């Protein structure tokens, strides 16, 4: 039943050799890996405006210079990450780069914050996508959390099915989104040329009371949320078709150009149309309404925006399991993240990502604005560490042209570090959790590593010296009567050893005497030991007996406890039988160094 | 931890031989077994009045003749059950009497309805007890359900501790209740003598419009709810000190006299004071208030009433587990009800009663009035069957003086049958559930019986002919590498058999080649079979392999699958290891006729 549902949702298992066919071409990669970055356009401008209007509407003109600064930062990031791709063709996420060049601890810091960040990608994208829907259909506003959760469930299943199939489904909306936003920008510009600035719009350079450097930095750092997702390409190089690094670099540049033009276009239109953020209607929705009215084009733009946001979450579904796999391979995360599922995806990573982001959505009640600062700090910490790692690498290796590369990464490092510090400085009350959570994650990574290395040490044998040693064998069979199940177990035991003892635990004299007589009459060739339990417990006398046997023979013999067990035809019939044998098994398994063997007797009626 | 909490709540285990000390003397028996019957006084009169006032206040005078009729019925029941006690000194509940004399099906009908009835006893008594409390303290009215549930939990724990200790605690409030009610009756009568009838009281014999036989019968049957619990003594004879039947009979008569006087007293005072039932204040509370005002005596009466009602539930805690034990002994209920717990009580029955009555209280939101009809029909069906059984017995056995005895039981049977029919006739919309539920319970009893007898047949061996047969032995060891755990398992296997094969499941050629080389180098003297899993599943190739082994050797050999297993030091470390061995074990256990042995290797770090 369960397995049939699984088949229906996830599809038939695939062979390991099918894996090459799952690789991504440039255009598909753009769809799978850049939806996170591109979709940031849907909320980036809004985050800048939210900070500025808090001072007064006159301050919105600052959004133009701030957007240009963000654009500059984007250019720096694209150049830096391009270098990373060529330096680490086997996948150069911040974790690998930081670990290789700055040491394990720094690598784990980058890896840990990226893992958290991917979970936040899913949470932020699905809640922002829900915002786009509820802007268009205000009556859905109360179902925000449920809509987000349904989308997360849908994405999880999609990804369990496997990468290529998801890519085919995902490619279309990403292209549609890019087309739709460009139509919006062109339509908006045409409208703007014919009507000019909205009456209320403050001129560029208008003096504003109360504006401070603090506010401007805060607005700038908020705008940087438009850059989240840029790192996805460099993490996922092994997913590309060959030549992987060239395809990845081309995809990265393509993405940067598209993202930059869309972001600056939206920012300009928001300024030109004099738009102020509204908690129930997104900025993009307002621009679309101002340009086309609430007609078919408006609704298409909203729906496509929602779609790409939901799919942006998909970037994390590609990146999170891969990072978890790398961490697991290095023994910092449980082995289970190394296992490929039936459809070749890292199922455990996919499922974990789905569950944790659903928890986040529920905890934050799907509030995009509150999730974004956490998300951005989670991105900029590994950005910084990755750039720093690249700097160290250039200084160490000094390949041809290393000084130019060092300069690019140094500029990248300084800007991302600055932005991280601005985040901490201006939004500490929203991001402090990261500084508690990150050390915990790193500590857990370390502990897991220690556990695995300890066990490996303990289980390692010396192939030359450690050989199997033969010993004697003593078999103990707890029996509850003279039945076919017991007959079965004794037949089995006699085939293995001559040293067998049956144990019977009785509660009163009459019972015991009857059993002894019956055993003698049957005479199966095995000695019966009878124990009397004054407290009606089977476990305690049996365990004491096994301890006695251990004390006498553990040196010379392997001790086996043979548990006769009949298995009912229907599972629910088990309630009609005392499950003493399960209790015995569980106790021995956890407490005693004896072999526990279950001899099944399957009932037919 | 769990076991320490259990010790604290329930006490230390007791020896089986302690059981005689747990037996009850007459006075203690009165406390344990009669609280149900005596406490019915708290709601019996009220049930009559509820039906009558629906017609008009003038009709309340009918409560006097109806109460006298109920009293007559009580006398008949006491006489009949006295005969049962002497006829069945080993415990003559309706189940035993009906089964012995009327056959198994009728016995199960009586047993089933009694089981249901005991659950209702607990539910009704605890909700009526809560009524007494909320009559005195109206602010607690909203916490009715919680108060009832807490009392049920308390009683369950008390009974898990054992009978005598409970009796010591319970004796006091029962005596206090009897004293308090007699003080109330005497005080009320003194008051009545000085002040005379309340002004509004209709005279006896006043003509009433709309009164019908239907209403009078309904009021009478409602009054019969005061008789619930009378049967408890005859079910519990084995709990009495010797001579058990004489002590039981004396207790029964004592109980009948006390119950009768209290009931008629309360009914008379309710009539004399002109009391009408009120959904928020019980009749007894109104009488007490009219007699003593809302002073100390009033509150004492309410509290003592609440106490005895809660303790009435305790009757069921004595009777239900005993009946379940008898049904289990006859193979109609699961074996687990035959097991005495650490404190010698039938723990499973006690726990089941607690849980089911808590479910009922929650489902009916603690509404006493709705629970009582179900309760009463559940009592009168077994009453009738028990009397019928006794009639058949006298006719069959014809002991000295059998005609007199037959007459007593015949009168008893006819009256209880009539009351059952009145119940069905006048309150069908409240009791129809019983006629769906009872057949289901009986069907389940029959199915359980069939299951046990089938299994007994299947497991029975011929002691002369069926002897242990020796066979060969093939051992299969799934291995995941060359480790200490595997070394351990091979050492064990070699001590038992020469026919051993290790199986390794690899996912790619490189892995497989490495393993084969290492095994050859190690050379443990066991053949290694390597399987390649193209779908990365361990289970499927392994199971196919075991099936091949079965097909080749099942005729001549016992097949053992030896599962090497390392056990982590801390249970939570298990999450770091793939639990493949548990999956293998679970699958083989459920699907294959092979012996499954776990060879533990306990990690020390």
């Amino acid at each position: 039943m369960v397995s049939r549902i699984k088949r229906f949702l996830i599809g038939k298992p695939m062979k390991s050799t099918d894996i090459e066919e799952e690789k991504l071409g440039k255009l598909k990669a753009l769809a799978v890996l850049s939806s996170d970055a591109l979709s940031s356009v849907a909320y980036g401008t809004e985050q800048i405006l939210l900070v500025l209007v808090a001072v007064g509407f006159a301050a919105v003109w600052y959004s133009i210079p701030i957007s240009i600064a963000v654009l500059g930062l984007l250019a720096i990031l694209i150049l830096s990450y391009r270098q990373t791709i060529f330096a680490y063709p086997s996948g150069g996420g911040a974790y690998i780069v930081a670990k290789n060049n700055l040491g394990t601890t720094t690598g784990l810091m980058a890896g840990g914050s990226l893992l958290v960040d991917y979970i936040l990608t899913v949470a932020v994208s699905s809640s922002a996508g829900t915002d786009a829907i509820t802007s268009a259909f205000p009556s859905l506003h109360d179902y925000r959390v449920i809509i987000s959760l349904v989308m997360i469930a849908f994405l999880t299943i999609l990804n369990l099915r496997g990468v290529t199939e998801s890519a085919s489904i995902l490619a279309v909306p990403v292209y549609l989104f890019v087309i739709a936003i460009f139509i919006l920008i062109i339509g908006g510009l045409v409208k703007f040329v014919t009507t000019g600035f909205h009456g209320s719009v403050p001129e560029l350079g208008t003096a504003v009371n109360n504006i401070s450097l603090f506010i401007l930095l805060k607005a700038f750092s908020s705008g940087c949320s438009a850059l989240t997702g840029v790192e996805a390409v460099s993490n996922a190089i092994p997913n590309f078709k060959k030549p992987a690094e060239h395809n990845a670099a081309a995809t990265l540049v393509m993405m940067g150009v598209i993202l930059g033009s869309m972001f600056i276009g939206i920012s300009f239109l928001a300024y030109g149309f004099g738009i102020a953020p509204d908690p129930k209607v997104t900025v993009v929705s307002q621009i679309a309404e101002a340009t086309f009215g609430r007609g078919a084009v408006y609704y298409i733009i909203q729906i496509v925006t929602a779609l790409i946001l939901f799919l942006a979450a998909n970037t994390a579904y590609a990146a999170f399991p891969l990072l978890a796999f790398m961490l697991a391979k290095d023994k910092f995360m449980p082995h289970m993240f190394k296992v490929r599922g039936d459809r070749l995806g890292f199922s455990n990573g996919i499922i974990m990502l789905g569950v944790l982001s659903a928890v986040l959505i529920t905890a934050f009640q799907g509030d995009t604005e509150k999730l974004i600062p956490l998300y951005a700090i989670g991105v900029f910490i590994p950005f910084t560490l990755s750039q720093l790692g690249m700097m160290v690498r250039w200084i160490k290796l000094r390949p041809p042209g290393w000084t130019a590369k060092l300069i690019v990464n140094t500029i990248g490092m300084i800007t991302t570090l600055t932005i991280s510090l601005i985040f901490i400085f201006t939004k500490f009350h929203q991001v402090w959790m990261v500084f508690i959570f990150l050390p915990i994650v790193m500590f857990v990574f370390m502990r897991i590593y220690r556990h695995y290395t300890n066990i490996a040490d303990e289980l390692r044998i010396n192939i030359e010296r450690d050989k199997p040693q033969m010993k004697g064998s003593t078999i103990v069979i707890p029996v509850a009567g003279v039945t076919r199940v017991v007959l079965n177990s004794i037949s089995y035991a006699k085939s293995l050893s001559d040293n067998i003892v049956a144990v019977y635990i009785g509660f009163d004299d009459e019972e015991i005497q009857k059993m002894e007589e019956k055993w003698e009459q049957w005479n199966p060739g095995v000695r019966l030991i009878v124990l009397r339990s004054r407290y009606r417990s089977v476990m305690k006398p049996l365990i004491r007996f096994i301890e006695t046997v251990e004390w006498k023979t553990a040196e010379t013999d392997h001790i086996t406890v043979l548990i006769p067990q009949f298995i009912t035809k229907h599972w629910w019939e088990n309630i009609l039988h005392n499950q003493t044998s399960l209790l015995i098994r569980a106790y021995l398994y956890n407490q005693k160094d004896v072999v526990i063997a279950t001899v099944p007797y399957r009932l037919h009626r």
Side-chain angles (χ1 to χ4, degrees), chain A:
Chain A
M1 192 57 203
V2 173
S3 102
R4 220 176 292 168
I5 293 174
K6 184 181 159 195
R7 279 294 145 265
F8 173 73
L9 289 176
I10 293 169
K12 272 190 261 176
M14 297 168 79
K15 290 182 197 167
S16 303
T17 45
D18 294 343
I19 205 159
E20 193 56 33
E21 296 164 26
E22 294 281 304
K23 299 272 169 164
L24 300 165
K26 263 180 289 188
L27 272 183
K28 272 198 182 169
L30 192 69
V32 175
L33 299 172
S34 75
S35 52
D36 180 18
L38 296 184
S39 67
S40 310
V41 165
Y43 49 77
T45 305
E46 185 156 359
Q47 296 301 317
I48 299 177
L49 291 176
L50 273 168
V51 176
L52 293 176
V53 289
V55 178
F57 188 70
V60 296
W61 71 265
Y62 281 110
S63 65
I64 296 300
I66 288 173
S67 295
I68 292 169
V70 171
L71 213 61
L73 178 58
L74 172 64
I76 294 170
L77 282 178
I78 297 288
L79 283 179
S80 315
Y81 269 105
R82 219 179 145 264
Q83 296 190 163
T84 309
I85 288 174
F86 287 104
Y88 287 93
S90 64
Y95 166 61
I96 300 281
V97 176
K99 197 186 74 163
N100 269 8
N101 299 298
L102 305 171
T104 305
T105 313
T106 321
L108 289 181
M109 190 194 293
S113 50
L114 271 178
L115 281 184
V116 173
D117 178 50
Y118 291 138
I119 299 164
L120 278 156
T121 302
V122 176
V124 166
S125 302
S126 57
S127 79
T130 309
D131 288 343
I133 293 179
T134 56
S135 294
F137 308 99
S139 58
L140 294 175
H141 198 82
D142 289 347
Y143 305 99
R144 298 174 40 70
V145 175
I146 290 172
I147 295 174
S148 301
L149 293 179
V150 168
M151 288 317 304
I152 290 174
F154 178 75
L155 282 174
T156 306
I157 291 169
L158 212 67
N159 277 279
L160 289 173
R161 291 192 73 97
V163 186
T164 303
E165 272 187 69
S166 329
S168 313
I169 298 180
L170 300 190
V172 182
V174 175
Y175 305 144
L176 283 183
F177 174 74
V178 173
I179 294 166
I181 292 293
F182 277 115
I183 287 176
L184 175 61
I185 290 172
I186 291 163
L189 286 176
V190 169
K191 174 110 180 174
F192 175 74
V193 167
T194 52
T195 61
F197 281 99
H198 188 272
S200 63
V201 176
E203 253 180 80
L204 287 178
T206 310
V208 180
N209 289 334
N210 311 322
I211 199 82
S212 62
L213 185 63
F214 184 84
I215 298 288
L216 292 177
L217 288 177
K218 194 171 170 186
F220 173 62
S221 68
S222 297
C224 292
S225 61
L227 305 182
T228 50
V230 167
E231 80 292 355
V233 173
S234 67
N235 291 333
I237 308 170
N239 281 353
F240 277 87
K241 274 197 182 139
K242 285 170 187 165
E245 55 267 51
H246 283 276
N247 286 331
T251 306
L252 179 68
V253 172
M254 250 156 58
M255 186 180 82
V257 171
I258 295 172
L259 170 61
S261 356
M262 294 199 302
F263 174 68
I264 198 74
I266 295 288
S267 286
F268 178 75
L269 288 179
Y271 170 62
F273 291 162
I275 283 165
D278 175 326
K280 290 208 164 181
V281 188
T282 64
V283 166
V284 172
S285 162
Q286 291 187 60
I287 294 175
E289 197 174 349
T291 307
F292 301 111
R294 281 226 166 202
V297 182
Y298 167 81
Y299 283 107
I300 289 173
I301 289 174
Q302 284 309 106
I303 289 166
V304 170
T305 307
L307 266 182
I308 199 183
L309 278 161
F310 290 137
L311 303 185
N314 204 59
T315 317
Y317 278 97
F320 182 98
L322 204 64
L323 181 56
F325 165 76
M326 287 191 273
L327 283 162
K329 225 173 60 179
D330 293 345
K331 301 189 179 170
F332 295 113
M333 280 182 73
H335 281 341
M336 60 171 139
F337 292 105
K338 283 193 334 199
V339 183
R340 281 185 190 272
D342 286 346
R343 302 285 288 184
L344 296 168
F346 295 110
S347 324
N348 291 319
I350 292 169
I351 291 166
M352 189 183 179
L353 176 63
V355 169
L356 290 180
S357 53
V359 168
L360 259 185
I361 283 283
T362 316
F364 280 78
Q365 285 296 304
D367 188 333
T368 314
E369 221 194 302
K370 282 194 190 139
L371 287 164
I372 281 184
L374 278 176
Y375 179 30
I377 189 83
V379 174
F380 276 87
I381 292 174
F383 270 6
T384 310
L385 295 175
S386 162
Q387 304 295 334
L388 189 64
M390 291 304 287
M391 286 165 59
V392 171
R393 178 184 169 92
W394 301 135
I395 293 170
K396 271 196 208 145
L397 298 182
R398 310 198 177 203
W402 68 275
T403 36
K405 290 173 176 169
L406 176 61
I407 290 166
V408 169
N409 284 123
T410 306
I411 295 171
M413 194 281 282
I414 291 169
T415 35
T416 50
L417 176 65
T418 311
I419 292 164
S420 304
L421 293 175
I422 293 174
F423 257 109
I424 297 167
F425 177 57
T426 59
K427 301 191 171 178
F428 186 74
H429 67 287
Q430 287 181 297
V431 301
W432 57 268
M433 287 177 245
V434 169
F435 299 97
I436 291 176
F437 198 66
L438 196 54
I440 292 175
V441 169
M442 288 171 65
F443 175 76
V444 171
F445 284 163
M446 301 289 200
R447 286 301 298 265
I448 291 176
Y449 183 80
R450 211 171 74 195
H451 176 81
Y452 281 134
T453 44
N454 276 346
I455 285 192
D457 286 350
E458 199 170 340
L459 295 187
R460 190 174 299 121
I461 59 173
N462 182 326
I463 280 187
E464 302 304 326
R465 215 180 46 215
D466 296 331
K467 305 284 181 188
Q469 304 294 327
M470 278 167 73
K471 277 169 114 182
S473 179
T474 297
I475 299 180
V476 176
I477 313 178
V479 299
V482 175
T483 65
R484 198 159 292 281
V485 190
V486 170
L487 168 65
N488 213 31
S489 301
I490 292 178
S491 298
Y492 174 76
K494 287 185 102 167
S495 314
L496 290 180
S497 169
D498 296 325
N499 210 354
I500 307 169
V501 53
V503 195
Y504 174 77
I505 290 141
F507 297 149
D508 61 56
D509 296 331
E510 196 190 339
E511 220 176 51
I512 289 174
Q513 206 192 332
K514 245 169 88 181
M515 179 69 185
E516 278 175 331
E517 278 166 12
K518 200 161 183 194
W519 193 269
E520 201 169 329
Q521 215 178 329
W522 184 32
N523 188 21
V526 166
R527 187 163 46 118
L528 179 72
I529 302 277
V530 171
L531 305 172
R532 196 183 192 301
S533 170
R534 290 200 300 179
Y535 292 95
R536 300 164 312 288
S537 157
V538 174
M539 290 296 294
K540 281 186 197 156
L542 179 62
I543 284 155
R544 261 203 311 274
F545 178 74
I546 290 171
E547 275 164 1
T548 315
V549 174
E550 269 187 317
W551 178 75
K552 274 192 189 157
T553 66
E555 290 294 308
T556 56
D557 280 17
H558 290 288
I559 298 165
T560 306
V561 178
L562 210 62
I563 303 179
Q565 170 105 48
F566 61 86
I567 296 164
T568 53
K569 204 174 166 193
H570 308 286
W571 64 265
W572 44 263
E573 289 168 343
N574 280 317
I575 202 170
L576 300 177
H577 303 282
N578 297 331
Q579 301 299 321
T580 318
S581 59
L582 289 185
L583 280 180
I584 296 174
R585 203 188 166 276
Y587 182 88
L588 293 177
Y589 179 82
N590 286 307
Q591 305 291 339
K592 295 270 154 243
D593 264 328
V594 298
V595 177
I596 313 149
T598 309
V599 187
Y601 182 86
R602 218 164 291 278
L603 291 168
H604 301 290
R605 282 193 273 188

